[in-house]
Amino acid sequence: MAQPDSNRVVTECDGRRSLFPEIIELNVGGQVYVTRHSTLLSVPNSLLWTMFGQNNPSVLTKDNKGRFFLDRDGFLFRYILDYLRDQNLVLPEYFKEKASLQKEAEFFQLHELARRLRPAVSKENSVGEDVFPSDPEEAASGGGGGGGGGTAATTTLGSPRSPSLDARKSGYITVGYRGSYTIGRDIQTDAKFRRVARITVCGKTSLAKEVFGDTLNESRDPDRPPERYTSRYYLKYNFLEQAFDRLSEVGFHMVACNSTGTCAYTSSDPSEDKIWTSYTEYVFCRE
């Protein structure tokens, strides 16, 4: 019989012997995490407790590198794992995916965490104290209108803001994308048109969040305060026209455009197809 791996330990779980490794590698939606087996068992009767405490390793899904695979949001799982370590959770000050994290907590059957994330609603139908505040700049600009400031500060979590004209901040937003297309020897018949890989958003954090709301994927830069500038955000869709429509709706207009392109061959034969790669930026302004 083959000897167990050196990093594999035998532990007791509810009277049953477990052959899970002491160190567990997880692939959650393409994001890799490494944690202790005991961490995954820290909340009894949760989904992870069932998977890694009550099951055999051989029945769990693995990726092609042997890591245990979970088809969930890989970015939000970092907060799930933080909670499992000590049953406490500290979120970034300007965290905007609280509703999504609550959904993940419910999926993993972490009922106490889901309860903490659930917004408390007062009798006046305003969000309670456990909901994270809006950006300070947005609150300051929205509160200058006198008695109507209280309703302006309360927004639906994750939805694009549509502030009134007098509350809108001026500034610049740059929308960029990388695209590619192929031109064959017969240009009229072999052209494969632009493929947009990702639409990036550069500008002041508070302004980007105001304009694009929950269509802005800020998981790569979740802790950046509103007064800082970012070039790490991107949109969750791949149609430039959607971005242009949204910018137009909230009072922006295009002031500049810049594009660069390179050409490469798919082979050393110059008669073969040419692949063109381009990067384009559109600069929008609201005064």
Side-chain angles (χ1 to χ4, degrees):
M1 179 179 296
Q3 295 297 320
D5 296 340
S6 59
N7 68 333
R8 191 174 293 272
V9 296
V10 179
T11 60
E12 295 292 334
C13 181
D14 294 341
R16 298 176 59 185
R17 294 169 66 84
S18 171
L19 292 178
F20 279 97
E22 179 183 8
I23 304 301
I24 301 285
E25 288 190 64
L26 301 171
N27 177 349
V28 185
Q31 300 295 312
V32 176
Y33 292 90
V34 181
T35 187
R36 290 185 176 275
H37 182 228
S38 58
T39 299
L40 301 177
L41 305 183
S42 62
V43 178
N45 301 315
S46 66
L47 178 62
L48 293 171
W49 179 85
T50 300
M51 292 176 62
F52 293 94
Q54 304 299 301
N55 292 325
N56 188 287
S58 62
V59 305
L60 300 181
T61 302
K62 296 182 180 180
D63 65 9
N64 57 5
K65 294 187 178 180
R67 295 176 294 224
F68 296 103
F69 178 75
L70 297 170
D71 189 15
R72 302 301 298 180
D73 191 314
F75 293 105
L76 292 179
F77 187 76
R78 60 177 287 197
Y79 302 108
I80 298 293
L81 198 56
D82 282 346
Y83 175 78
L84 290 176
R85 292 185 176 116
D86 56 10
Q87 276 69 68
N88 288 316
L89 182 65
V90 179
L91 297 177
E93 185 176 0
Y94 306 106
F95 188 74
K96 297 291 184 174
E97 298 191 70
K98 193 175 180 184
S100 297
L101 183 56
Q102 179 191 340
K103 179 181 177 182
E104 293 301 298
E106 291 172 348
F107 173 82
F108 286 107
Q109 299 172 21
L110 299 171
H111 304 300
E112 175 60 23
L113 176 59
R115 185 191 66 79
R116 296 184 195 179
L117 292 167
R118 192 172 298 118
V121 180
S122 68
K123 294 180 180 179
E124 291 77 16
N125 200 32
S126 61
V127 181
E129 62 180 4
D130 63 335
V131 174
F132 293 96
S134 303
D135 294 342
E137 292 186 0
E138 292 166 352
S141 61
T151 56
T154 301
T155 59
T156 302
L157 185 65
S159 62
R161 297 180 176 89
S162 296
S164 59
L165 288 174
D166 59 351
R168 291 175 173 175
K169 298 183 297 294
S170 61
Y172 291 86
I173 287 181
T174 300
V175 175
Y177 76 91
R178 295 186 184 276
S180 65
Y181 58 93
T182 301
I183 297 180
R185 286 166 292 181
D186 186 345
I187 295 178
Q188 298 300 318
T189 59
D190 292 341
K192 297 179 181 179
F193 292 101
R194 183 187 71 198
R195 178 178 65 84
V196 177
R198 177 171 290 176
I199 301 173
T200 60
V201 175
C202 306
K204 208 167 191 177
T205 301
S206 59
L207 200 58
K209 291 181 179 180
E210 174 202 313
V211 172
F212 293 108
D214 62 356
T215 64
L216 188 72
N217 191 326
E218 49 182 306
S219 54
R220 294 180 62 204
D221 205 358
D223 304 330
R224 184 167 292 271
E227 71 276 5
R228 298 290 296 276
Y229 289 83
T230 180
S231 60
R232 295 174 62 88
Y233 290 166
Y234 59 91
L235 299 179
K236 295 179 180 179
Y237 48 78
N238 291 328
F239 293 96
L240 279 170
E241 292 77 10
Q242 286 180 264
F244 294 167
D245 285 344
R246 179 58 189 163
L247 285 161
S248 177
E249 289 170 2
V250 295
F252 281 82
H253 62 277
M254 190 185 302
V255 295
C257 176
N258 178 64
S259 182
T260 62
T262 59
C263 177
Y265 294 100
T266 57
S267 71
S268 58
D269 186 352
S271 64
E272 293 296 326
D273 293 352
K274 298 178 181 179
I275 298 178
W276 288 85
T277 302
S278 65
Y279 178 72
T280 304
E281 287 186 338
Y282 302 92
V283 181
F284 289 81
C285 175
R286 185 171 68 188
E287 299 177 352

CSV table of all heavy atoms in Angstrom, one decimal, residues 7-27:
chain,number,residue,atom,x,y,z
A,7,ASN,N,2.8,15.8,3.7
A,7,ASN,CA,2.1,16.9,4.2
A,7,ASN,C,0.6,16.5,4.5
A,7,ASN,O,-0.2,17.4,4.8
A,7,ASN,CB,2.1,18.1,3.2
A,7,ASN,CG,1.3,17.7,2.0
A,7,ASN,OD1,1.2,16.5,1.6
A,7,ASN,ND2,0.8,18.7,1.3
A,8,ARG,N,0.3,15.2,4.5
A,8,ARG,CA,-1.0,14.7,4.8
A,8,ARG,C,-1.1,14.2,6.2
A,8,ARG,O,-0.2,13.4,6.6
A,8,ARG,CB,-1.4,13.6,3.7
A,8,ARG,CG,-2.8,13.3,3.7
A,8,ARG,CD,-3.1,12.3,2.6
A,8,ARG,NE,-2.9,12.9,1.3
A,8,ARG,CZ,-3.8,13.6,0.7
A,8,ARG,NH1,-5.0,13.7,1.2
A,8,ARG,NH2,-3.6,14.2,-0.5
A,9,VAL,N,-2.1,14.6,6.9
A,9,VAL,CA,-2.2,14.2,8.3
A,9,VAL,C,-3.6,13.6,8.5
A,9,VAL,O,-4.5,13.8,7.7
A,9,VAL,CB,-2.1,15.4,9.3
A,9,VAL,CG1,-0.7,16.0,9.2
A,9,VAL,CG2,-3.2,16.5,9.0
A,10,VAL,N,-3.6,12.7,9.5
A,10,VAL,CA,-4.9,12.1,9.9
A,10,VAL,C,-5.5,12.8,11.1
A,10,VAL,O,-4.8,12.9,12.1
A,10,VAL,CB,-4.7,10.6,10.2
A,10,VAL,CG1,-6.0,9.9,10.6
A,10,VAL,CG2,-4.0,9.9,9.0
A,11,THR,N,-6.7,13.4,10.9
A,11,THR,CA,-7.3,14.1,12.0
A,11,THR,C,-8.6,13.4,12.4
A,11,THR,O,-9.2,12.7,11.6
A,11,THR,CB,-7.5,15.6,11.6
A,11,THR,OG1,-8.4,15.6,10.5
A,11,THR,CG2,-6.2,16.2,11.3
A,12,GLU,N,-9.1,13.8,13.5
A,12,GLU,CA,-10.4,13.3,14.0
A,12,GLU,C,-11.5,14.3,13.7
A,12,GLU,O,-11.3,15.5,14.0
A,12,GLU,CB,-10.4,12.9,15.5
A,12,GLU,CG,-9.4,11.8,15.8
A,12,GLU,CD,-9.9,10.5,15.3
A,12,GLU,OE1,-11.1,10.3,15.1
A,12,GLU,OE2,-9.1,9.6,15.0
A,13,CYS,N,-12.6,14.0,13.1
A,13,CYS,CA,-13.7,14.9,12.9
A,13,CYS,C,-15.0,14.2,13.2
A,13,CYS,O,-15.4,13.3,12.5
A,13,CYS,CB,-13.7,15.4,11.4
A,13,CYS,SG,-15.0,16.5,11.0
A,14,ASP,N,-15.5,14.6,14.4
A,14,ASP,CA,-16.8,14.0,14.9
A,14,ASP,C,-16.6,12.4,15.0
A,14,ASP,O,-17.5,11.7,14.6
A,14,ASP,CB,-18.0,14.3,13.9
A,14,ASP,CG,-18.3,15.7,14.0
A,14,ASP,OD1,-17.9,16.4,15.0
A,14,ASP,OD2,-19.0,16.2,13.1
A,15,GLY,N,-15.4,12.0,15.4
A,15,GLY,CA,-15.2,10.6,15.6
A,15,GLY,C,-14.7,9.9,14.4
A,15,GLY,O,-14.5,8.7,14.4
A,16,ARG,N,-14.7,10.6,13.2
A,16,ARG,CA,-14.3,9.9,12.0
A,16,ARG,C,-12.9,10.4,11.6
A,16,ARG,O,-12.5,11.5,11.8
A,16,ARG,CB,-15.2,10.3,10.9
A,16,ARG,CG,-16.7,9.9,11.1
A,16,ARG,CD,-17.6,10.4,10.0
A,16,ARG,NE,-17.2,9.9,8.7
A,16,ARG,CZ,-17.7,10.3,7.6
A,16,ARG,NH1,-18.7,11.1,7.6
A,16,ARG,NH2,-17.3,9.8,6.4
A,17,ARG,N,-12.1,9.5,11.0
A,17,ARG,CA,-10.8,9.8,10.6
A,17,ARG,C,-10.8,10.5,9.2
A,17,ARG,O,-11.5,10.1,8.3
A,17,ARG,CB,-9.9,8.5,10.5
A,17,ARG,CG,-9.7,7.8,11.9
A,17,ARG,CD,-9.1,6.5,11.7
A,17,ARG,NE,-7.8,6.5,11.2
A,17,ARG,CZ,-6.7,6.7,11.9
A,17,ARG,NH1,-6.8,6.9,13.2
A,17,ARG,NH2,-5.5,6.7,11.3
A,18,SER,N,-10.0,11.5,9.1
A,18,SER,CA,-10.0,12.3,7.9
A,18,SER,C,-8.6,12.3,7.2
A,18,SER,O,-7.6,12.4,7.9
A,18,SER,CB,-10.4,13.8,8.1
A,18,SER,OG,-10.1,14.6,7.0
A,19,LEU,N,-8.5,12.0,5.9
A,19,LEU,CA,-7.2,12.0,5.2
A,19,LEU,C,-7.0,13.2,4.4
A,19,LEU,O,-6.2,13.2,3.4
A,19,LEU,CB,-7.2,10.8,4.3
A,19,LEU,CG,-7.1,9.4,5.1
A,19,LEU,CD1,-7.1,8.3,4.1
A,19,LEU,CD2,-5.9,9.4,6.0
A,20,PHE,N,-7.7,14.3,4.7
A,20,PHE,CA,-7.5,15.6,4.0
A,20,PHE,C,-6.1,16.1,4.4
A,20,PHE,O,-5.6,15.9,5.5
A,20,PHE,CB,-8.5,16.6,4.4
A,20,PHE,CG,-9.8,16.5,3.6
A,20,PHE,CD1,-10.9,15.8,4.2
A,20,PHE,CD2,-9.9,17.1,2.4
A,20,PHE,CE1,-12.1,15.7,3.5
A,20,PHE,CE2,-11.1,17.0,1.7
A,20,PHE,CZ,-12.2,16.3,2.2
A,21,PRO,N,-5.4,16.8,3.5
A,21,PRO,CA,-4.1,17.4,3.8
A,21,PRO,C,-4.3,18.5,4.9
A,21,PRO,O,-5.4,19.0,5.1
A,21,PRO,CB,-3.7,18.1,2.5
A,21,PRO,CG,-4.6,17.6,1.5
A,21,PRO,CD,-5.8,17.1,2.1
A,22,GLU,N,-3.3,18.7,5.7
A,22,GLU,CA,-3.3,19.8,6.7
A,22,GLU,C,-3.4,21.1,6.0
A,22,GLU,O,-4.1,22.0,6.5
A,22,GLU,CB,-2.1,19.7,7.6
A,22,GLU,CG,-2.0,20.8,8.6
A,22,GLU,CD,-0.7,20.8,9.4
A,22,GLU,OE1,0.2,20.1,9.0
A,22,GLU,OE2,-0.6,21.5,10.4
A,23,ILE,N,-2.8,21.3,4.9
A,23,ILE,CA,-2.9,22.5,4.1
A,23,ILE,C,-3.7,22.3,2.9
A,23,ILE,O,-3.4,21.3,2.1
A,23,ILE,CB,-1.5,23.0,3.7
A,23,ILE,CG1,-0.6,23.2,4.9
A,23,ILE,CG2,-1.6,24.3,2.9
A,23,ILE,CD1,-1.1,24.2,5.9
A,24,ILE,N,-4.8,23.0,2.7
A,24,ILE,CA,-5.7,22.9,1.6
A,24,ILE,C,-5.5,23.9,0.6
A,24,ILE,O,-5.4,25.1,0.9
A,24,ILE,CB,-7.2,22.9,2.1
A,24,ILE,CG1,-7.4,21.9,3.2
A,24,ILE,CG2,-8.2,22.8,1.0
A,24,ILE,CD1,-7.6,20.5,2.7
A,25,GLU,N,-5.4,23.5,-0.7
A,25,GLU,CA,-5.4,24.4,-1.8
A,25,GLU,C,-6.8,24.5,-2.5
A,25,GLU,O,-7.3,23.4,-2.8
A,25,GLU,CB,-4.3,24.0,-2.8
A,25,GLU,CG,-2.9,24.3,-2.3
A,25,GLU,CD,-1.9,24.1,-3.5
A,25,GLU,OE1,-1.9,24.9,-4.4
A,25,GLU,OE2,-1.1,23.2,-3.4
A,26,LEU,N,-7.3,25.7,-2.6
A,26,LEU,CA,-8.6,25.8,-3.2
A,26,LEU,C,-8.5,26.7,-4.5
A,26,LEU,O,-7.8,27.7,-4.5
A,26,LEU,CB,-9.6,26.5,-2.2
A,26,LEU,CG,-9.8,25.9,-0.9
A,26,LEU,CD1,-10.6,26.8,0.0
A,26,LEU,CD2,-10.6,24.6,-1.1
A,27,ASN,N,-9.3,26.3,-5.5
A,27,ASN,CA,-9.5,27.1,-6.7
A,27,ASN,C,-10.9,27.6,-6.7
A,27,ASN,O,-11.9,26.8,-6.9
A,27,ASN,CB,-9.2,26.3,-7.9
A,27,ASN,CG,-9.5,27.1,-9.2
A,27,ASN,OD1,-10.0,28.1,-9.2
A,27,ASN,ND2,-9.1,26.5,-10.3
